[in-house]
C-alpha cells in the first residue's frame, strides 16, 4: 500500500496545484474513429503553440479567439509528425473548467492518444487526476452540487491500490528496482540529516563520493527505465500474454495460429521452443504481445531447456494474461486441475488472468472426461492446427481488457510514472551539480528531498518520519 | 485578595512562565500558580538553552515577544553557533546557562509585569460548568475563578521517579508530585497516557581531573539569542568532553537486572533520541565508547551536569561505572541520575490554539502535551498564553504556519499527528528549512506579534532599522558595478573565474567563494557606503544580505512551494462537519478526520490515513 505522507506530500503536493496545466484523454480509452484530449490551465495555449503546426501558418493559439477550431498537425520536438488534428480553443471563463482550455480531436488509436499526451507532458503539462477537470470546474463555480457529488464519488473510486497494481502488471520487476534505489537514497538522506540534526554528537559523516556513485547509479537506472518505459512503448509493445503449458501441447502452433505466420519452430519433438518467442498483434485496436514459452517440464536434464523454463516463469511474472494450453485429447481433468492450482499458487496475483485453452480438439474421438468441469472453468476449446475457434481467444482478451477499469488506470499511471521518472532524473542532476559546486548541506538536503519525493511518487511516498525512524534505528544518538 | 482572574496558569516551568508573561503583557489579569515559588523556570535537565532546531525556536520566541531569549542572554556562561559549516539554515545558537541565575532572572522579569499575580499552591481539580472552565481548586482548598486556565504541569502529574529498584512519587528530584488533576481531567473526558524521561547524574566539579578531558570553549565572538539589545557575553566557561569505555559498559551491565526500564517497571515511552546510557549500551552493543559532556551548572558553582550519562540504574552502579571514566577516577556524586514517569494528554485532543476540544477555555502547553525540551515547552506556553488572551477578547486564534516558524511545525505536528514518544524538534521535521532560519526569525515573526500587540516599540524599531539597512544594502549592491581590474585579483585568489566586463556586486556575492566582507575589504566605495549608512546592528544586516543573495534560488523555490501549499491552509473546514456522512471518504479517513477535526484542508492532508483522494472528496464537499 502507499504510505500516507506528510512532509514530503506537502513539499510537492502536486494534486492540488491548481496553477498547473493538466491534460488527459476525455473520451474512453480504446479504439474509435476519433478521440479527444483535453488540456486545461494557464499554459494551455503556450503548450499548444509548442506542439501544433497549423495549416494556416499565421495562426497562433495564444491569439486565437475563443470557440474557434484550428486544423493542423501535432509534432514532436524533432518535428516528427504525430497526428493530424483539429484543435478547439476555449478562453477562460468560457470553458468546461473555467480556465483556458484546448480540446484536441485526434485519431482514435491508443498509441496516438498516448503519444499526444506524452508530447503535452514533455512541454510541461501534467496528467490530470481522476475527476480533476470536473474538480476545477466545480472550484470555478461551473457546476452545481449534484454534479459535484458525482465527481466526489468518481474520485473516491480511483483507488490508490489500483494505481500501484498497474505498475506491477506492466513492468514486473520495475518497482522493486526503484524501491531499492529509493531505499539507498533514503539511507543516504538519513546520514546527511543525521549530520545536520545531531552534529554536536559523535556521529559519522556521509561520504559524498559514495553519494555521487549512488546518484550515478540512479541516473543510469532511471534513464534506461525511461527509454524502455516511455509511455508509447508500453502500448506499442502490447499487453503481455504468455502462452504456457507442458511440452508439445501445441503452444507454438497456437501462437502461429493467432499471428497467422510461422514464427515459432514447430515440430513434434517436445521442448523445441527453447527461447521465448514473442510477437505483437492488434485485436480491435488493442495491441497484445503474445509470448510463446518453453514447455513446463518439471524434470529436464537439458541445460538450455531448463534455462528456458526459468525464462518462462519470468514471462509469467510480467504477463497480464496467461494462456494455459493443454492437450485435451491426452490430459485427464485431475492432471489439469492439479497443474492449474499449482500455477495459481505460483502466480498469486488476482489481477493476472489465467485462461485455460483446451487444444487439439481435432484429435478428440469422444467428449473428453471432465468436460463439464472444464466448461465451468471457462475453458476455450480450440484446434490450433486447424485454426478453429482461435477468434474466441481474441474476443475473450478484448472483452476482458475493455471491461477492466484498471486498464484505463494502467495507461494513465504509465504516463504518470514516465513523468515522475523524468522529474527524478532532473532532481538527481541537480543534486550532482550541488556536490560538484560544494554547496552547503542545508541546500543539498533540499534537493535530495525533492528526488526522494519523485521516487516516492512511483513507489509510495516517504515521510520525514521515515528518515527520523531510520536515524533512530541505525545510529546511537542522544546525550 | 483577588480571587478572580482572566487567566490562571498552572505551573511555572518554561511553558508556564512564557504563558503568564505573554497573557499579562497583552493585558489579561493573570495568576501564576506554582507548587514552589522558589523554583520558577527550572532547568530540570541540562543547563543549556538552544541547540539544533531548538536554538531556532528560542529566536522565534524572542521575535514574538517572549522572554526565553532575553533570560538566556542575561544568564549564559557560554555561547556557540552550532553547525556553522552546514549553511545558514542550519546555524543553531546554543548557550550553557547558569541554572540558578536563569531561574532568578525569570522571576525578576515576571515580577516586573503589572497584571501578573503569583501564588504557591497545588491545583488538584478544575472548576467546570457546561463544559466550560470556571476556575481551579487547590490543595489548600482555595477556589479561584478564571475565564481561562492554562495547564503547564510538566512531569509533575502522578510523577514517579525510578532509581534502580527504588521508586517514589515525585515531580522532579526533591520535589513533590501532583495528584488528582489527571483523574479530574479523565472524568471530564480527556484521555491521558504515560511517558518517561531521564536525567543524568550531577557531580562535584572539584573531584574532576580536567587534564584527562578535551576542552570545549565557546565561540570566540559569542552572539546571543535576543534581537533586543541584551548584554553581550564577556567571559565564558568551558565544557569538557570525555568518553566511556568497555570497562564502564561492563559495570553498567551488572545493574541491568535492577534496571526499572529493562525489568518493565517503567511502562511509559521514552525518547529514542535521548536514550539512557544503559539503553545505548544495550542497543548499540558494538559501539566501544560513548561521548560524554561535562557541563558546568553555573558561574559560581562546582556542580557539573554529566551530559550523555542519563541513567536509572542503581546509584552504586552509576558510581562504580563513573570511576572508570577518564577524569572521573575520584568522582563525587551530588545527585544520581534518575528516570521519571509522568502523565501526558495526547495532544490530538487540542485545537490549533492549544485549547482543549472537550473543555472550552482550557489550554495545555509543554511536557503534558507529550513534548520534551525547555524550548519546545516555552514556545507552546507563549502560544497558549497569546491564544487564551485573544479568545477572551473575541479575536481569532494566533496560528503560525509550517512555512512561517518551527513553532508552527511543532504545534501542527502535535495536534495533527499526536506523539507516542516525547516530541523533540528536529530541523528535518520542517519542510521549509531554508525559510525557517535563525537569522530571519525577527522578519518572519515580529510583524505578526506586533499585530496582536505583544511587541515593544524598542523591538519594532530595531526590526525597522535592520530592514532599512537590508534594503539600502540591496539597492547598492544591485546597482554598483565593479570593473574587472578592481576585483580580478581577489577572484583569482579565491579560485573563482575572473570577469571580463563590469558586473554588479550582487552577482559577485552570489558566487559561493565570495563573501560580503571580501567585497567590503576590496571595494572602497562599498566600504565607505557601509560605514556611513549602516549604523544599527551592522553585522546582522550584512549577514542577512549575504544569505539572501547566496540562497536566492532556493529561498524563492521554497517560497513558491509554501505559497502553493498555503492555499490549502486557507480552505477552512467547518469544525462541526460530520465526516461519517461523507460516504465517499475511506472509512479510515472518516474515523481519523472525526477524531482530529482538522481546521483546514491543509491540516487534513497531513493526517496519517487520509489519502489524496480523500482530500479531493473533501474539497468538493467544501462547496456546500
Amino acid at each position: 500500500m502507499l504510505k500516507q505522507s506528510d512532509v514530503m506530500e506537502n513539499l510537492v503536493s502536486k494534486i492540488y496545484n491548481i496553477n498547473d496545466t493538466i491534460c488527459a484523454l476525455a473520451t474512453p480509452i480504446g479504439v474509435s474513429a476519433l478521440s479527444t484530449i483535453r488540456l486545461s490551465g494557464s499554459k494551455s495555449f503556450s503548450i499548444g503553440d509548442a506542439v501544433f503546426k497549423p495549416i494556416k501558418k499565421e495562426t497562433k493559439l495564444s491569439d486565437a479567439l475563443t470557440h474557434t477550431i484550428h486544423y493542423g498537425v501535432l509534432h514532436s520536438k524533432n518535428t516528427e509528425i504525430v497526428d493530424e488534428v483539429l484543435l478547439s480553443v476555449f478562453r477562460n471563463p468560457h470553458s468546461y473548467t473555467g480556465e483556458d482550455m484546448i480540446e484536441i480531436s485526434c485519431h482514435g488509436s491508443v498509441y496516438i492518444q498516448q503519444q499526444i499526451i506524452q508530447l503535452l507532458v514533455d512541454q510541461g503539462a501534467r496528467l490530470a487526476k481522476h475527476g480533476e477537470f470536473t474538480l476545477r470546474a466545480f472550484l470555478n463555480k461551473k457546476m452545481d452540487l449534484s454534479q459535484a457529488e458525482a465527481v466526489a464519488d468518481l474520485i473516491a473510486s480511483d483507488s490508490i491500490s489500483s494505481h500501484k497494481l498497474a505498475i506491477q502488471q506492466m513492468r514486473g520487476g520495475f518497482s522493486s528496482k526503484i524501491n531499492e534505489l529509493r531505499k539507498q537514497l533514503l539511507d543516504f538522506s538519513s546520514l546527511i540529516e543525521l549530520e545536520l540534526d545531531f552534529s554536536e554528537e559523535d556521529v559519522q559523516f556521509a561520504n559524498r563520493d559514495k553519494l555521487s556513485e549512488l546518484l550515478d547509479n540512479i541516473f543510469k537506472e532511471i534513464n534506461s527505465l525511461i527509454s524502455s518505459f516511455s509511455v508509447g512503448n508500453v502500448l506499442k509493445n502490447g499487453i503481455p500474454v504468455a502462452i504456457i503449458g507442458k511440452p508439445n501441447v501445441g503452444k507454438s502452433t497456437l501462437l502461429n495460429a493467432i499471428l497467422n505466420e510461422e514464427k515459432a519452430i514447430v515440430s513434434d519433438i517436445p521442448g523445441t521452443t527453447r527461447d521465448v518467442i514473442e510477437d505483437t498483434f492488434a485485436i480491435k485496436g488493442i495491441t497484445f504481445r503474445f509470448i510463446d514459452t518453453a514447455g513446463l517440464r518439471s524434470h529436464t536434464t537439458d541445460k538450455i531447456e531448463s534455462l528456458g523454463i526459468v525464462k518462462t516463469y519470468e514471462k509469467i511474472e510480467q504477463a497480464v494474461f496467461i494462456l494455459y494450453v493443454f492437450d485435451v485429447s491426452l490430459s485427464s481433468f485431475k492432471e489439469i486441475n492439479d497443474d492449474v492450482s499449482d500455477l495459481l499458487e505460483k502466480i498469486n496475483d488476482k489481477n493476472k488472468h489465467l485462461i485455460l485453452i483446451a487444444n487439439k480438439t481435432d484429435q478428440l474421438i469422444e467428449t473428453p472426461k471432465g468436460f463439464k468441469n472444464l466448461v465451468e472453468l471457462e475453458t476455450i476449446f480450440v484446434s490450433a492446427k486447424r485454426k478453429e475457434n482461435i477468434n474466441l481467444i481474441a474476443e475473450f482478451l478484448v472483452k476482458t481488457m475493455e471491461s477492466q477499469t484498471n486498464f484505463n488506470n494502467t495507461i494513465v499511471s504509465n504516463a504518470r510514472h514516465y513523468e515522475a521518472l523524468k522529474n527524478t532524473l532532473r532532481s538527481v542532476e541537480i543534486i550532482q551539480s550541488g556536490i560538484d559546486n560544494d554547496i552547503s548541506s542545508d541546500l543539498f538536503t533540499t534537493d535530495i528531498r525533492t528526488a526522494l519525493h519523485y521516487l516516492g511518487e512511483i513507489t509510495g511516498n516517504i515521510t520525514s518520519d521515515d528518515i527520523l525512524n531510520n536515524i533512530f534505528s541505525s545510529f546511537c544518538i542522544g546525550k | 485578595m483577588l480571587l478572580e482572574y482572566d487567566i490562571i496558569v498552572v505551573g511555572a516551568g518554561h511553558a508556564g512562565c512564557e504563558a503568564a508573561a505573554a497573557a499579562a503583557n497583552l493585558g489579561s489579569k493573570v495568576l501564576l500558580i506554582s507548587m514552589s515559588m522558589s523554583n520558577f523556570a527550572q532547568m530540570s535537565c541540562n543547563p543549556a538553552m538552544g541547540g539544533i532546531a531548538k536554538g531556532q525556536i528560542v529566536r522565534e520566541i524572542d521575535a514574538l515577544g517572549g522572554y526565553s531569549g532575553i533570560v538566556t542572554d542575561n544568564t549564559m556562561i557560554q555561547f556557540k553557533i552550532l553547525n556553522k559549516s552546514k549553511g545558514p539554515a542550519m546555524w543553531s545558537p546554543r548557550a550553557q546557562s547558569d541554572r540558578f541565575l536563569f531561574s532568578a532572572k525569570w522571576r525578576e522579569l515576571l515580577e516586573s509585569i503589572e497584571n501578573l499575580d503569583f501564588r504557591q499552591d497545588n491545583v488538584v481539580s478544575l472548576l467546570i460548568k457546561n463544559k466550560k472552565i470556571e476556575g481551579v481548586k487547590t490543595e489548600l482548598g482555595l477556589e479561584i475563578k478564571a475565564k481561562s486556565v492554562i495547564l503547564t504541569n510538566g512531569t509533575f502529574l502522578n510523577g514517579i521517579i525510578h532509581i534502580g529498584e527504588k521508586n517514589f512519587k515525585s515531580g522532579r528530584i526533591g520535589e513533590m508530585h501532583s495528584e488528582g488533576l489527571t483523574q479530574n481531567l479523565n472524568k471530564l473526558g480527556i484521555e491521558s497516557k504515560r511517558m518517561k524521561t531521564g536525567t543524568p547524574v550531577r557531580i562535584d566539579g572539584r573531584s574532576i581531573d580536567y587534564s584527562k578531558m578535551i576542552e570545549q570553549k565557546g565561540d570566540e565572538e559569542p552572539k546571543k539569542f535576543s534581537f533586543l539589545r541584551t548584554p553581550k557575553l564577556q567571559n565564558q566557561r568551558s565544557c569538557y568532553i570525555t568518553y566511556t569505555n568497555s570497562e564502564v559498559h561492563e559495570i553498567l551491565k551488572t545493574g541491568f537486572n535492577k534496571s526499572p526500564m529493562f525489568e518493565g517497571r517503567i511502562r511509559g515511552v521514552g525518547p529514542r533520541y535521548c536514550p539512557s546510557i544503559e539503553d545505548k549500551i544495550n542497543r548499540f552493543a558494538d559501539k566501544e565508547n560513548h561521548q560524554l559532556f561535562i557541563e558546568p551548572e553555573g558561574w559560581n558553582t562546582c556542580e557539573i551536569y554529566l551530559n550523555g550519562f542519563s541513567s536509572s540504574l542503581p546509584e552504586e552502579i552509576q558510581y562504580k561505572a563513573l570511576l572508570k571514566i577518564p577524569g572521573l577516577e575520584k568522582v563525587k556524586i551530588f545527585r544520581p541520575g534518575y528516570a521519571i514517569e509522568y502523565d501526558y494528554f495526547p495532544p490530538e485532543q487540542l485545537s490549533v490554539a492549544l485549547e482543549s476540544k472537550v473543555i472550552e477555555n482550557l489550554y495545555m502547553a509543554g511536557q503534558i502535551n507529550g513534548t520534551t525540551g525547555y524550548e519546545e515547552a516555552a514556545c507552546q506556553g507563549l502560544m497558549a498564553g497569546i491564544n487564551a488572551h485573544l479568545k477572551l477578547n473575541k479575536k481569532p486564534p494566533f496560528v503560525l504556519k509550517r512555512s512561517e516558524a518551527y513553532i508552527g511545525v511543532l504545534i501542527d505536528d502535535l495536534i495533527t499527528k499526536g506523539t507516542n514518544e516525547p516530541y523533540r524538534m528536529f530541523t528535518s521535521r520542517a519542510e521549509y528549512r531554508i525559510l525557517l532560519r535563525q537569522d530571519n526569525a525577527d522578519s518572519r515573526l515580529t510583524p505578526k506579534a506586533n499585530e496582536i500587540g505583544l511587541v515593544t516599540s524598542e523591538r519594532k524599531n530595531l526590526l525597522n532599522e535592520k530592514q532599512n539597512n537590508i534594503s539600502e544594502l540591496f539597492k547598492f549592491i544591485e546597482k554598483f558595478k565593479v570593473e574587472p581590474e578592481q576585483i580580478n585579483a581577489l577572484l583569482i585568489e579565491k579560485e573563482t573565474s575572473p570577469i571580463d566586463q563590469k558586473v554588479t556586486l550582487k552577482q559577485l556575492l552570489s558566487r559561493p567563494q565570495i563573501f560580503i566582507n571580501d567585497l567590503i575589504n576590496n571595494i572602497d566605495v562599498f566600504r565607505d557606503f557601509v560605514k556611513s549608512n549602516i549604523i544599527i546592528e551592522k553585522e546582522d544586516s550584512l549577514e542577512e544580505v549575504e544569505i539572501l543573495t547566496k540562497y536566492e534560488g532556493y529561498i524563492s523555490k521554497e517560497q513558491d512551494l509554501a505559497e502553493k501549499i498555503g492555499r490549502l491552509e486557507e480552505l477552512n473546514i467547518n469544525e462541526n462537519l460530520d465526516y461519517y456522512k461523507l460516504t465517499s471518504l475511506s472509512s479510515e479517513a472518516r474515523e481519523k478526520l472525526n477524531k482530529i477535526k482538522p481546521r483546514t484542508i491543509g491540516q487534513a492532508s497531513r493526517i496519517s490515513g487520509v489519502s489524496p483522494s480523500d482530500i479531493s472528496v473533501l474539497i468538493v464537499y467544501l462547496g456546500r
Side-chain angles (χ1 to χ4, degrees):
Chain A
M1 275 302 291
L2 292 190
K3 226 182 204 168
Q4 173 64 31
S5 66
D6 39 84
V7 170
M8 281 309 168
E9 182 100 315
N10 256 344
L11 241 183
V12 201
S13 163
K14 306 188 73 186
I15 320 163
Y16 313 105
N17 288 351
I18 39 183
N19 284 348
D20 288 355
T21 297
I22 53 173
C23 64
L25 192 61
T27 44
I29 196 106
V31 172
S32 50
L34 290 172
S35 55
T36 303
I37 290 164
R38 200 177 258 163
L39 180 67
S40 177
S42 55
K43 281 196 221 140
S44 294
F45 299 141
S46 60
I47 292 174
D49 278 327
V51 298
F52 180 63
K53 201 171 156 201
I55 294 299
K56 280 189 201 158
K57 287 203 180 83
E58 67 281 7
T59 308
K60 266 193 87 186
L61 299 174
S62 316
D63 305 328
L65 294 174
T66 187
H67 294 80
T68 53
I69 294 181
H70 307 270
Y71 173 58
V73 294
L74 292 181
H75 58 86
S76 66
K77 265 184 209 149
N78 38 21
T79 65
E80 195 179 307
I81 290 173
V82 175
D83 195 16
E84 263 180 69
V85 294
L86 286 175
L87 296 196
S88 312
V89 169
F90 305 90
R91 293 199 167 268
N92 79 74
H94 308 290
S95 71
Y96 175 71
T97 54
E99 303 172 328
D100 283 347
M101 220 177 86
I102 291 178
E103 282 182 3
I104 304 171
S105 291
C106 59
H107 289 100
S109 133
V110 179
Y111 179 59
I112 285 176
Q113 294 159 5
Q114 292 302 322
Q115 285 287 305
I116 294 177
I117 287 178
Q118 195 173 328
L119 274 186
L120 300 177
V121 169
D122 285 342
Q123 288 297 332
R126 131 175 107 71
L127 272 159
K129 302 257 169 186
H130 247 193
E132 198 172 359
F133 288 107
T134 316
L135 186 69
R136 289 188 179 193
F138 175 75
L139 292 175
N140 291 326
K141 301 195 166 52
K142 282 276 173 181
M143 60 170 48
D144 66 20
L145 182 64
S146 60
Q147 285 167 302
E149 279 188 19
V151 180
D153 290 338
L154 180 70
I155 295 165
S157 71
D158 179 16
S159 79
I160 296 170
S161 61
S162 73
H163 181 81
K164 181 138 194 193
L165 209 78
I167 334 168
Q168 286 167 349
Q169 275 189 352
M170 282 296 185
R171 292 297 308 181
F174 161 75
S175 67
S176 64
K177 201 173 268 174
I178 296 282
N179 246 326
E180 178 53 34
L181 292 173
R182 193 196 70 109
K183 206 195 149 285
Q184 288 177 22
L185 190 59
L186 182 69
D187 285 347
F188 218 96
S189 170
S190 303
L191 267 178
I192 293 188
E193 295 284 349
L194 177 76
E195 232 175 65
L196 295 181
D197 265 335
F198 299 93
S199 68
E200 301 157 86
E201 302 178 25
D202 193 15
V203 296
Q204 44 182 314
F205 285 83
N207 181 332
R208 301 295 194 270
D209 291 341
K210 277 214 174 126
L211 179 60
S212 285
E213 229 170 83
L214 174 62
L215 291 175
D216 199 40
N217 247 329
I218 295 179
F219 194 83
K220 279 185 195 144
E221 286 287 353
I222 303 268
N223 234 339
S224 81
L225 274 172
I226 285 182
S227 50
S228 80
F229 193 69
S230 72
V231 188
N233 272 343
V234 173
L235 283 158
K236 205 159 80 179
N237 289 344
I239 294 147
V241 182
I243 304 175
I244 64 166
K246 294 228 168 87
N248 212 22
V249 294
K251 297 182 293 294
S252 303
T253 317
L254 181 71
L255 175 68
N256 289 339
I258 295 170
L259 300 176
N260 256 326
E261 59 184 286
E262 299 285 316
K263 189 101 193 178
I265 315 152
V266 187
S267 79
D268 285 337
I269 312 156
T272 318
T273 309
R274 294 200 165 150
D275 215 345
V276 181
I277 294 177
E278 307 189 8
D279 207 347
T280 56
F281 191 64
I283 308 169
K284 296 201 175 167
I286 301 175
T287 307
F288 293 92
R289 188 170 82 253
F290 290 92
I291 308 155
D292 186 14
T293 64
L296 291 169
R297 278 197 299 183
S298 30
H299 308 288
T300 177
T301 45
D302 186 332
K303 273 191 186 159
I304 298 175
E305 198 185 322
S306 46
L307 201 68
I309 291 174
V310 173
K311 276 194 185 163
T312 300
Y313 279 112
E314 273 173 20
K315 291 296 167 185
I316 292 178
E317 276 289 292
Q318 291 171 13
V320 173
F321 291 96
I322 298 151
L323 305 184
Y324 175 75
V325 186
F326 59 93
D327 184 341
V328 69
S329 66
L330 292 176
S331 323
S332 75
F333 176 70
K334 191 186 169 300
E335 210 179 305
I336 294 161
N337 205 31
D338 288 352
D339 279 357
V340 169
S341 354
D342 256 21
L343 262 176
L344 284 175
E345 207 173 290
K346 280 210 179 79
I347 297 168
N348 193 22
D349 182 344
K350 280 183 211 144
N351 299 287
K352 288 190 196 292
H353 304 271
L354 180 67
I355 304 160
L356 272 50
I357 309 287
N359 191 20
K360 306 199 182 178
T361 51
D362 50 296
Q363 311 233 348
L364 277 178
I365 304 159
E366 49 182 333
T367 312
K369 281 171 206 147
F371 177 73
K372 213 177 137 216
N373 306 66
L374 286 174
V375 172
E376 273 170 16
L377 290 171
E378 292 186 57
T379 306
I380 301 174
F381 292 84
V382 302
S383 165
K385 203 168 161 190
R386 293 191 195 156
K387 298 191 173 139
E388 281 170 4
N389 284 351
I390 302 295
N391 61 319
L392 291 181
I393 300 178
E395 275 169 29
F396 184 88
L397 294 178
V398 171
K399 203 178 74 198
T400 313
M401 279 325 290
E402 282 177 349
S403 68
Q404 210 182 10
T405 48
N406 275 348
F407 179 49
N408 211 340
N409 288 343
T410 304
I411 290 163
V412 172
S413 62
N414 273 312
R416 199 165 275 147
H417 292 139
Y418 172 73
E419 195 183 11
L421 287 171
K422 274 186 53 176
N423 286 330
T424 308
L425 211 58
R426 213 172 301 141
S427 52
V428 165
E429 283 172 321
I430 294 174
I431 302 175
Q432 187 57 55
S433 84
I435 299 181
D436 297 343
N437 289 316
D438 204 16
I439 65 170
S440 60
S441 317
D442 51 353
L443 301 182
F444 186 54
T445 49
T446 308
D447 296 329
I448 295 186
R449 283 180 180 193
T450 312
L452 276 172
H453 170 82
Y454 287 126
L455 282 173
E457 275 197 340
I458 306 168
T459 61
N461 289 336
I462 73 133
T463 70
S464 70
D465 289 348
D466 275 357
I467 294 178
L468 284 175
N469 285 333
N470 211 353
I471 289 176
F472 296 145
S473 60
S474 319
F475 305 103
C476 180
I477 39 170
K479 304 200 256 189
Chain B
M1 151 139 205
L2 188 64
L3 284 181
E4 203 170 333
Y5 289 89
D6 293 327
I7 297 168
I8 292 174
V9 179
V10 183
H14 303 269
C17 287
E18 288 285 5
N25 279 329
L26 285 169
S28 281
K29 276 187 290 178
V30 181
L31 174 68
L32 178 60
I33 304 181
S34 167
M35 288 168 71
S36 166
M37 286 279 294
S38 44
N39 281 334
F40 279 8
Q42 274 300 300
M43 295 183 138
S44 319
C45 204
N46 64 335
M49 280 296 265
I52 300 165
K54 291 162 170 274
Q56 281 87 329
I57 292 182
V58 178
R59 295 279 275 173
E60 289 178 357
I61 292 172
D62 186 72
L64 289 168
Y67 285 179
S68 292
I70 300 171
V71 171
T72 308
D73 287 350
N74 278 286
T75 59
M76 60 191 178
I77 63 175
Q78 192 201 75
F79 184 93
K80 267 185 169 180
I81 294 276
L82 304 176
N83 267 345
K84 195 73 190 164
S85 66
K86 307 288 166 64
M90 292 307 303
W91 295 351
S92 308
R94 183 184 188 275
Q96 292 294 143
S97 291
D98 183 310
R99 199 161 66 80
F100 311 97
L101 289 181
F102 188 90
S103 173
K105 184 72 191 177
W106 251 116
R107 182 155 165 176
E108 177 196 323
L109 288 179
L110 290 174
E111 285 177 4
S112 72
I113 300 173
E114 229 173 285
N115 297 330
L116 181 55
D117 288 353
F118 307 93
R119 193 161 186 101
Q120 179 165 314
D121 206 338
N122 180 16
V123 170
V124 291
S125 66
L126 301 175
L127 305 175
I128 309 281
K129 200 173 173 187
N130 298 330
K131 301 230 154 197
K132 200 170 173 177
I133 208 91
E134 291 224 306
V136 301
K137 197 172 167 184
T138 73
E139 200 169 40
L140 296 176
L142 232 55
E143 287 198 357
I144 312 173
K145 298 264 182 208
K147 294 173 192 144
S148 291
V149 170
I150 303 174
L151 295 180
T152 64
N153 309 65
T155 59
F156 281 72
L157 298 180
N158 294 318
I160 295 180
I161 283 183
H162 296 261
I163 305 172
E165 290 175 305
K166 291 176 213 152
N167 59 68
F168 46 89
K169 295 174 177 180
S170 174
R172 174 164 52 216
I173 198 118
E175 291 177 54
M176 300 217 287
H177 80 168
S178 173
E179 264 177 36
L181 196 54
T182 304
Q183 219 185 348
N184 178 232
L185 288 168
N186 289 158
K187 268 190 203 151
L188 294 167
I190 295 174
E191 186 199 355
S192 65
K193 287 186 180 170
R194 296 287 273 174
M195 267 184 185
K196 168 250 158 180
T197 188
T199 193
V201 61
R202 310 300 198 276
I203 53 182
D204 185 339
R206 295 170 300 180
S207 68
I208 297 176
D209 180 357
Y210 289 105
S211 67
K212 293 182 179 165
M213 300 178 174
I214 306 157
E215 185 174 5
Q216 269 206 316
K217 289 186 171 171
D219 283 352
E220 266 176 36
E221 281 172 44
K223 298 197 166 188
K224 54 198 191 62
F225 281 98
S226 181
F227 291 98
L228 299 180
R229 288 188 174 130
T230 45
K232 288 216 164 147
L233 193 53
Q234 301 301 332
N235 304 305
Q236 302 193 61
R237 269 195 81 168
S238 292
C239 294
Y240 291 84
I241 293 179
T242 183
Y243 291 90
T244 64
N245 49 49
S246 53
E247 244 184 312
V248 176
H249 298 180
E250 287 314 311
I251 296 172
L252 289 169
K253 279 182 197 160
T254 64
F256 279 13
N257 60 351
K258 290 179 180 166
S259 155
M261 279 303 293
F262 298 149
E263 294 300 300
R265 282 189 296 281
I266 295 179
R267 296 226 178 79
V269 184
R272 284 172 298 177
Y273 42 79
C274 197
S276 58
I277 187 73
E278 53 265 33
D279 221 18
K280 291 188 214 173
I281 294 168
N282 194 35
R283 283 179 54 209
F284 299 95
D286 50 343
K287 206 164 185 262
E288 282 163 12
N289 59 49
H290 295 276
Q291 202 174 28
L292 301 175
F293 294 84
I294 304 282
E295 298 184 6
E297 296 239 333
W299 288 117
N300 302 312
T301 175
C302 65
E303 189 167 353
I304 296 292
Y305 175 93
L306 187 57
N307 195 338
F309 209 75
S310 171
S311 177
S312 57
L313 292 173
E315 183 173 354
E316 66 275 16
I317 301 280
Q318 293 185 30
Y319 176 64
K320 279 189 204 156
L322 285 176
L323 292 176
K324 300 294 175 190
I325 293 170
L328 300 185
E329 294 84 355
K330 293 179 179 164
V331 75
K332 289 179 182 168
I333 289 184
F334 279 173
R335 297 184 266 173
Y338 63 86
I340 182 163
E341 270 190 297
Y342 54 95
D343 294 332
Y344 82 103
F345 304 96
E348 309 95 291
Q349 303 175 93
L350 300 176
S351 76
V352 70
L354 297 176
E355 183 184 4
S356 164
K357 290 183 210 164
V358 181
I359 307 295
E360 198 181 344
N361 292 341
L362 173 64
Y363 295 79
M364 296 191 186
Q367 246 164 326
I368 61 166
N369 286 343
T371 62
T372 171
Y374 312 141
E375 305 81 359
E376 286 86 346
C379 74
Q380 290 172 65
L382 175 68
M383 295 299 279
I386 291 172
N387 278 312
H389 170 86
L390 290 177
K391 181 157 184 208
L392 292 182
N393 291 277
K394 303 196 166 36
K395 288 185 183 147
F398 184 62
V399 179
L400 297 173
K401 292 183 192 153
R402 297 182 74 92
S403 55
E404 288 170 344
Y406 275 99
I407 300 174
V409 174
L410 180 130
I411 292 178
D412 184 67
D413 275 351
L414 289 180
I415 63 166
T416 308
K417 297 193 291 183
T419 184
N420 291 321
E421 72 182 321
Y423 179 103
R424 170 178 150 188
M425 184 49 73
F426 298 106
T427 66
S428 53
R429 293 198 197 269
E431 46 279 80
Y432 309 107
R433 189 152 58 189
I434 309 284
L435 301 182
L436 306 185
R437 305 185 313 272
Q438 57 88 28
D439 62 271
N440 68 356
D442 53 348
S443 339
R444 285 187 277 130
L445 301 174
T446 300
K448 289 180 188 297
N450 185 40
E451 273 172 41
I452 54 171
L454 198 53
V455 166
T456 59
S457 56
E458 183 199 2
R459 188 180 291 282
K460 214 172 5 183
N461 291 338
L462 283 170
L463 176 63
N464 281 343
E465 282 171 58
K466 181 175 163 188
Q467 287 179 332
N468 266 341
N469 285 346
I470 292 169
S471 77
E472 288 301 314
L473 278 167
F474 266 116
K475 267 188 223 157
F476 190 86
I477 64 168
E478 279 164 1
K479 217 169 66 193
F480 187 82
K481 288 192 172 171
V482 187
E483 300 285 348
E485 54 270 23
Q486 275 178 292
I487 198 76
N488 274 347
L490 176 77
L491 296 182
I492 291 163
E493 185 198 321
K494 297 276 178 183
E495 293 179 1
T496 170
S497 49
I499 50 174
D500 46 22
Q501 53 185 3
K502 285 202 304 187
V503 299
T504 64
L505 283 172
K506 194 176 170 200
Q507 281 169 307
L508 289 170
L509 186 55
S510 66
R511 296 190 178 193
Q513 301 85 348
I514 302 299
F515 296 93
I516 200 159
N517 278 329
D518 297 329
L519 298 177
I520 292 175
N521 293 337
N522 283 276
I523 310 291
D524 296 344
V525 191
F526 188 35
R527 182 169 54 234
D528 293 343
F529 173 82
V530 172
K531 254 191 198 160
S532 54
N533 289 281
I534 311 298
I535 310 144
I536 300 286
E537 310 296 337
K538 192 173 80 186
E539 294 305 318
D540 289 353
S541 306
L542 291 174
E543 182 182 281
E544 187 110 16
V545 168
E546 185 172 278
I547 294 170
L548 291 174
T549 304
K550 290 192 183 301
Y551 276 40
E552 201 174 14
Y554 281 86
I555 290 172
S556 69
K557 208 162 87 182
E558 283 205 351
Q559 271 166 343
D560 285 352
L561 261 170
E563 202 183 299
K564 272 183 191 166
I565 307 295
R567 267 187 252 115
L568 292 182
E569 305 296 337
E570 275 148 31
L571 292 174
N572 292 318
I573 306 176
N574 181 345
E575 59 183 85
N576 299 319
L577 182 61
D578 182 357
Y579 292 96
Y580 286 106
K581 283 193 179 153
L582 305 188
T583 49
S584 301
L585 292 172
S586 70
S587 56
E588 188 186 1
R590 269 185 300 222
E591 203 169 294
K592 290 274 177 65
L593 288 165
N594 217 51
K595 187 178 167 200
I596 308 285
K597 295 212 175 295
R599 204 173 46 91
T600 66
I601 288 286
Q603 192 192 346
S605 72
R606 289 187 291 273
I607 299 172
S608 77
V610 176
S611 72
S613 69
D614 292 322
I615 295 300
S616 310
V617 171
L618 273 182
I619 291 177
V620 169
Y621 275 97
L622 265 188
R624 286 195 145 161

